[in-house]
Amino acid sequence: MAWKIEIDTKKMTKIGAIRRNTVAECNVGQALRSLRTAFGESTFAIDGSLRQRLESLELDYQRMCAFMLRGFRDEQRDEVYRQLLCRTVEFLGDCELAELQQSNRTLNDAAKKTITAAADHESVRQLLEGDVQNLAMLSLDGDDESAASRLKSYHDEHLKHLDALFNTLLLSKQWSAGEKSFYQELLLSPTIDAADAALLISALTLSAMSVTDIAKLEVLFEVYRRATDEQMRQRALVGVAFALPIDSYGEVFPEYRQIIEALCSDEKTRRELLELQKQVFLCMDADRDHETIQRDIIPTIMKNQKLRFTNSGIEEIQDDPLQDILNPNADDEAMEELEQTIRRMMDMQRGGADIYFGGFSQMKRFSFFYTMSNWFMPFNVEHPALRHVVEKLKNSRFLQLLFDRGPFCDSDKYSFALAMSTVLDRLPEGMREMLNNEEALGPTMSDEEQRSAAYIRRMYLQDLYRFFRLFPQHDDFRSPFDYEKFPEYFFFTNNAFRGTPLAAEAVSLARFLLKQKHYDPLMRLLATYDNSDNAEQLLIEASLTLRRGNYREAQQLFRQVLEKEPDNERAMHGLARASFNCGDYAEARQFYDRLTLLHPDNRQYELNACISMMHDAQAEEAVKRLYKLYYELPDDKNVSRALGWGLLMQGSVEQAGKIYDTLLSGDENNAADYLNAGYCRWFEGRVEQAVELFRRYRKQLGTNAQRHPLSEDFESDADLLKSNGIGRIEMMLIDDLVRNETFA
């Protein structure tokens, strides 16, 4: 059964809910009735063109019904109805956009900055192509002041054009076939700048995420499939993944089914979708990675920096000549420690971690980031917002190095450049000189790594992550990085992919999610791709089920794995643990014994087998095996504990008491040691000492003592207590003595 996707209805407009129902039920009549009611109750203004379109749809539907009422048979009726359904769904999309635009502050502000002649395709083409031609011409004008002024004016105007077009595409209504054809040709045209096209792809992505538009989705897919610029391709792929509708659009739009089939039929595309989904979850781990860096990496780096931060700026700390005498190897040791720390951070980055989010998240308050399109702008040293930075740096290569070698996403490159301009005057001369070297940027990536599709995609995802987390009005958008609120953006679990070749990649993703401890998404993934024939997927599901405490279900799953792979050691171990927790101690012992034979040096398996035997009324045999372990591993406290418990169960109370006394004389005590030592004293008749040990046991439990009364321990160990002549009344009396200090 497919996992049901729960939608946050608080984030859904009234028209959006009608659209979902229409797609799900394919019922034109119900949609039109619901729309008419919604228009009558709506608090947002409906313009005349929308009302006219509704009346046109109603009229066409009434004609179809009237034609059928007369008894005419129409072989084309199903196709005509489907076309009417498509028109209705598209109309609902435009109504939903209108409703969003009026209720959403960000979209409302964006509407004020759109191109007035948005429908004029030729103007848009001339705008983008003309700017490229103008730049080429201006570059031939020389280096005089007049030429520089004209170039600045060009960049200012070009940025205004781009921002207006970005907002126009963001708020564009459902695209017709003509609009789809035009923008597809435009974005793939070699006559417009690739960076401009990349920005517009982001606008299309946001637009299709806000309101599903199959035509825009088709354009994004075609750009991914046909573009030669890798930045454009990867932005388009991300757009496709995030803009996939969660509803059954394939029932309404055959074009959508074709996109899904094309995505899943190509092996390289499937691999890139898998990498993309993993990278999305790695972005979600940014806060966790930041904590690791703050705790384990930054202190080491700061300790080895020879800088002092003062009110007048940053000063270099001079070397202490005495240090060379007292510890001549100090510099080498510090350098080695620093190199290891930086190497660890680089390994995190190569593994996909967003290591710079925590630091750069504090640098998004520049006015540059008040403009929404700037969050998606490919880094460009000619951007007007960097003009004052260029002036300050003048002969420095810093900006060009940042562009060429900076290991940051574009958003962070802008942050870095803008922040640098504010502290440049306070930097020591030596540090200003360093800005001409790559070392100023910290660990950089190789050219080959920076050109890879995975790296380009990761940098773009980090741009998106910053937008959806840090943009001042980010709550106006549904974030694909917020799984708890918007689980529908976990695109791998989209029902459209069920039964497709993409299912073959699910095991790799499941393995990754388990490693990253994303357990809820993992359960959703396993429910989407229910593949009981795949032993590894079954093993992952069994391990997760065991972790959640569903021991009986986990037991069955591990058994299924072993039916397919009888020698699978992970399944043996999992089944042993699950069986033990289910009380099936004989089965637990069986598999711990098998694991012991396979790994005789792993004493934990032998120990677990012995504990299973004790629970299975085989204490005498268990104690014999435990004595052997005890002599081989005299310092292993867990072996001592198991032996002590075995001796108690065997009735050797005095010997058990000696072992627990030894355990309690150590520095690190386990709460259960006090409990079991108390049992020993109790069984020997030394009740006062037993009560004191029970009190210390309760104290060791701390806050858990309130939720775990001593009577529960007595109930759990009732067989042991009964075998030593302890009845229910005596248990209650001891419990009261432990609770009441006045009896002490």
Side-chain angles (χ1 to χ4, degrees):
M1 181 180 292
W3 188 284
K4 184 179 179 183
I5 295 179
E6 298 292 342
I7 302 299
D8 185 355
T9 54
K10 294 179 182 178
K11 290 282 186 178
M12 182 176 289
T13 65
K14 184 180 293 186
I15 302 298
I18 295 173
R19 194 177 196 222
R20 278 203 77 213
N21 291 335
T22 302
V23 171
E25 299 172 9
C26 297
N27 192 325
V28 174
Q30 180 61 46
L32 296 176
R33 288 190 294 274
S34 299
L35 260 177
R36 181 59 71 178
T37 302
F39 277 14
E41 299 174 349
S42 183
T43 57
F44 70 93
I46 302 297
D47 63 32
S49 64
L50 288 178
R51 290 192 180 277
Q52 288 176 7
R53 287 174 64 188
L54 175 59
E55 291 168 0
S56 174
L57 284 168
E58 289 174 331
L59 182 60
D60 288 346
Y61 183 67
Q62 289 164 7
R63 284 173 180 163
M64 176 180 284
C65 292
F67 193 72
M68 185 175 179
L69 188 63
R70 294 175 196 164
F72 293 112
R73 296 189 63 82
D74 185 355
E75 294 181 358
Q76 299 298 315
R77 180 178 292 136
D78 288 357
E79 178 58 24
V80 172
Y81 186 89
R82 191 193 67 79
Q83 292 176 3
L84 187 59
L85 177 62
C86 289
R87 285 173 55 200
T88 303
V89 172
E90 290 169 347
F91 173 64
L92 282 164
D94 288 343
C95 294
E96 185 179 358
L97 179 63
E99 187 177 11
L100 274 174
Q101 191 172 320
Q102 293 179 46
S103 61
N104 184 307
R105 176 185 167 187
T106 303
L107 296 184
N108 191 274
D109 290 343
K112 300 169 186 175
K113 299 190 290 183
T114 57
I115 296 174
T116 53
D120 186 350
H121 291 167
E122 193 55 36
S123 297
V124 172
R125 183 189 300 278
Q126 289 179 3
L127 185 152
L128 292 175
E129 293 180 344
D131 281 346
V132 172
Q133 294 167 3
N134 291 338
L135 178 61
M137 295 298 294
L138 287 168
S139 63
L140 301 175
D141 284 353
D143 298 327
D144 59 24
E145 189 174 333
S146 176
S149 177
R150 289 195 297 273
L151 191 59
K152 287 180 181 178
S153 297
Y154 155 75
H155 285 300
D156 289 341
E157 286 301 310
H158 182 63
L159 186 64
K160 289 179 184 177
H161 293 161
L162 277 180
D163 185 53
L165 188 51
F166 179 95
N167 290 299
T168 300
L169 292 182
L170 172 64
L171 297 174
S172 58
K173 295 181 178 180
Q174 300 284 296
W175 276 359
S176 65
E179 287 170 314
K180 179 184 76 173
S181 176
F182 167 74
Y183 279 105
Q184 180 174 301
E185 179 187 344
L186 180 70
L187 290 172
L188 291 169
S189 172
T191 59
I192 72 168
D193 187 72
D196 293 351
L199 178 67
L200 300 183
I201 289 168
S202 295
L204 278 188
T205 298
L206 282 183
S207 178
M209 286 175 65
S210 298
V211 179
T212 297
D213 187 338
I214 299 301
K216 290 171 187 164
L217 191 64
E218 285 184 273
V219 171
L220 288 169
F221 174 70
E222 286 301 316
V223 171
Y224 165 70
R225 192 171 67 88
R226 294 167 51 189
T228 56
D229 181 85
E230 197 61 48
Q231 182 175 207
M232 289 174 57
R233 287 189 69 252
Q234 294 308 320
R235 285 198 178 206
L237 179 62
V238 173
V240 170
F242 286 167
L244 288 174
I246 61 169
D247 304 303
S248 306
Y249 269 73
E251 300 297 319
V252 183
F253 297 94
E255 302 91 337
Y256 179 52
R257 289 199 301 271
Q258 293 167 7
I259 291 174
I260 295 298
E261 290 170 5
L263 285 171
C264 298
S265 62
D266 183 72
E267 183 180 356
K268 181 182 177 183
T269 301
R270 293 198 304 271
R271 187 171 63 251
E272 289 199 321
L273 284 171
L274 173 63
E275 291 173 354
L276 167 57
Q277 186 65 85
K278 290 179 180 180
Q279 288 173 324
V280 170
F281 279 102
L282 287 169
C283 285
M284 294 182 195
D285 292 335
D287 288 326
R288 188 167 68 189
D289 293 334
H290 177 60
E291 289 176 9
T292 299
I293 291 169
Q294 290 293 107
R295 182 184 65 248
D296 302 336
I297 293 176
I298 295 299
T300 302
I301 294 176
M302 294 304 296
K303 183 177 69 176
N304 290 289
Q305 293 299 310
K306 296 183 178 182
L307 299 172
R308 180 189 295 114
F309 296 85
T310 68
N311 292 333
S312 58
I314 304 172
E315 299 176 355
E316 294 184 69
I317 300 174
Q318 299 301 316
D319 291 334
D320 183 355
L322 290 177
Q323 187 64 24
D324 291 337
I325 300 172
L326 296 172
N327 187 0
N329 298 321
D331 285 346
D332 292 338
E333 292 170 357
M335 182 58 69
E336 184 178 353
E337 182 183 31
L338 184 61
E339 287 175 353
Q340 289 177 349
T341 301
I342 292 175
R343 203 157 37 239
R344 180 182 176 187
M345 191 162 64
M346 284 293 292
D347 289 341
M348 287 179 65
Q349 185 181 27
R350 288 196 175 94
D354 188 353
I355 63 173
Y356 296 113
F357 173 75
F360 283 108
S361 63
Q362 308 302 316
M363 300 184 194
K364 305 299 181 186
R365 297 186 179 90
F366 296 104
S367 59
F368 173 87
F369 293 106
Y370 297 164
T371 301
M372 181 164 52
S373 61
N374 280 341
W375 289 83
F376 310 95
M377 189 77 68
F379 186 73
N380 182 1
V381 295
E382 302 295 340
H383 194 291
L386 299 183
R387 198 164 289 153
H388 69 291
V389 184
V390 174
E391 288 296 322
K392 275 194 172 186
L393 292 170
K394 285 195 177 175
N395 298 324
S396 172
R397 296 176 57 234
F398 173 73
L399 285 181
Q400 194 59 46
L401 284 172
L402 187 60
F403 177 75
D404 293 334
R405 307 287 293 161
F408 322 113
C409 64
D410 289 323
S411 175
D412 288 352
K413 286 181 180 180
Y414 280 113
S415 293
F416 198 174
L418 293 166
M420 187 58 67
S421 70
T422 65
V423 300
L424 189 65
D425 297 335
R426 290 176 286 169
L427 292 177
E429 182 62 32
M431 290 191 68
R432 283 201 293 269
E433 287 295 324
M434 277 185 61
L435 294 180
N436 286 311
N437 302 318
E438 288 183 16
E439 288 77 6
L441 303 177
T444 59
M445 310 297 282
S446 68
D447 291 338
E448 184 179 358
E449 286 175 309
Q450 292 190 78
R451 287 194 298 268
S452 70
Y455 180 83
I456 292 169
R457 189 190 318 116
R458 184 167 81 231
M459 293 299 100
Y460 178 53
L461 284 170
Q462 291 180 10
D463 282 325
L464 290 174
Y465 183 74
R466 281 144 181 72
F467 171 77
F468 285 107
R469 277 286 301 270
L470 304 173
F471 180 59
Q473 286 83 45
H474 65 272
D475 286 336
D476 286 345
F477 296 91
R478 300 169 67 89
S479 171
F481 301 98
D482 190 340
Y483 176 80
E484 290 188 6
K485 287 186 179 178
F486 309 112
E488 62 269 26
Y489 284 116
F490 182 11
F491 65 85
F492 236 78
T493 60
N494 192 306
N495 284 332
F497 289 131
R498 288 173 61 84
T500 69
L502 194 65
E505 312 296 339
V507 175
S508 175
L509 181 57
R511 198 184 307 126
F512 167 83
L513 291 173
L514 186 64
K515 180 182 177 182
Q516 297 298 119
K517 301 181 181 179
H518 288 292
Y519 300 122
D520 285 343
L522 175 54
M523 286 298 289
R524 185 194 203 93
L525 179 73
L526 295 173
T528 302
Y529 299 101
D530 183 15
N531 187 357
S532 57
D533 293 330
N534 188 296
E536 185 171 5
Q537 185 164 325
L538 275 174
L539 182 60
I540 291 171
E541 185 175 358
S543 302
L544 186 58
T545 305
L546 176 65
R547 184 186 179 278
R548 293 192 162 201
N550 300 328
Y551 302 120
R552 191 64 68 184
E553 183 182 350
Q555 200 178 24
Q556 295 301 322
L557 289 167
F558 281 121
R559 285 172 182 160
Q560 289 180 50
V561 176
L562 288 170
E563 286 174 7
K564 299 177 185 302
E565 298 180 356
D567 297 326
N568 190 311
E569 293 181 23
R570 288 188 296 165
M572 289 183 206
H573 188 203
L575 180 55
R577 287 182 57 198
S579 297
F580 185 91
N581 283 287
C582 287
D584 294 340
Y585 301 115
E587 184 174 46
R589 177 202 173 173
Q590 174 192 346
F591 284 99
Y592 280 130
D593 278 344
R594 284 183 63 182
L595 289 165
T596 300
L597 288 173
L598 292 169
H599 301 282
D601 293 335
N602 189 327
R603 304 297 182 161
Q604 189 63 47
Y605 290 145
E606 172 75 357
L607 180 60
N608 290 345
C610 292
I611 294 171
S612 300
M613 291 167 65
M614 286 190 288
H615 282 83
D616 198 29
Q618 299 179 57
E620 186 174 347
E621 184 183 349
V623 167
K624 290 178 182 176
R625 292 172 64 172
L626 283 169
Y627 262 124
K628 184 173 183 292
L629 276 179
Y630 183 68
Y631 289 122
E632 291 175 352
L633 304 168
D635 297 326
D636 191 319
K637 291 187 176 182
N638 287 328
V639 171
S640 299
R641 289 185 178 103
L643 178 58
W645 183 251
L647 289 168
L648 257 182
M649 295 185 72
Q650 199 180 37
S652 304
V653 177
E654 184 180 352
Q655 291 172 278
K658 290 178 180 178
I659 288 177
Y660 283 115
D661 287 344
T662 301
L663 286 169
L664 292 177
S665 65
D667 296 331
E668 297 179 8
N669 297 324
N670 188 305
D673 295 339
Y674 289 104
L675 176 67
N676 296 331
Y679 284 154
C680 293
R681 298 294 180 269
W682 192 3
F683 300 160
E684 291 172 336
R686 292 186 279 179
V687 177
E688 190 173 348
Q689 293 179 27
V691 168
E692 179 58 30
L693 285 165
F694 289 147
R695 285 175 179 161
R696 293 178 69 181
Y697 163 63
R698 303 293 293 164
K699 186 177 180 181
Q700 282 283 101
L701 288 179
T703 56
N704 292 326
Q706 298 298 322
R707 298 191 298 271
H708 186 83
L710 188 60
S711 57
E712 284 189 6
D713 292 303
F714 291 168
E715 184 67 29
S716 177
D717 298 326
D719 290 342
L720 173 67
L721 297 176
K722 185 178 179 181
S723 67
N724 283 274
I726 306 295
R728 184 168 176 271
I729 292 175
E730 193 170 346
M731 292 182 204
M732 289 190 295
L733 290 172
I734 290 290
D735 189 21
D736 278 343
L737 285 169
V738 171
R739 290 171 182 270
N740 196 336
E741 298 286 345
T742 59
F743 290 126

